[in-house]
Amino acid sequence: MPQHSPVRRTPLDAEEQARAEANFASLVTEHLLTSGRFRVSADTPEMVDLFQGVARRVGERLGRPVVSYANGRYIVIAFSQEETAALA
């Protein structure tokens, strides 16, 4: 029986990281405006870093505080609690 080698991920270079953040920022912005949060698998430090960068871009784009929470499996991006409380 053939042995499967573990998946080896190549880290994104700076240009790829910037492009990914810009592309995901539009998607995350749309989700925040329609549902108030965005959740995605982020099981590596690189994915967490990528989506934390996306959260910063979204906050800048919307001019509103945006936070991200990661637990080792997922990252959730949402409007900050203070922002949500102020709107209520």
Side-chain angles (χ1 to χ4, degrees):
M1 212 177 238
Q3 294 276 334
H4 293 285
S5 61
V7 176
R8 301 182 93 197
R9 294 180 178 153
T10 304
L12 299 176
D13 65 30
E15 181 182 324
E16 291 168 328
Q17 176 96 5
R19 245 188 355 251
E21 284 181 14
N23 289 332
F24 279 119
S26 295
L27 175 69
V28 173
T29 298
E30 182 180 324
H31 276 268
L32 284 183
L33 292 173
T34 59
S35 68
R37 70 182 205 122
F38 177 83
R39 183 179 117 168
V40 67
S41 294
D43 58 354
T44 65
E46 293 82 14
M47 290 300 290
V48 172
D49 287 344
L50 171 66
F51 280 99
Q52 285 176 334
V54 169
R56 281 189 295 277
R57 283 181 183 247
V58 170
E60 291 168 3
R61 179 181 286 181
L62 295 175
R64 295 170 66 179
V66 173
V67 295
S68 59
Y69 304 94
N71 68 4
R73 291 181 52 202
Y74 300 100
I75 187 165
V76 175
I77 300 171
F79 293 116
S80 76
Q81 294 277 338
E82 298 84 26
E83 172 80 0
T84 304
L87 293 174

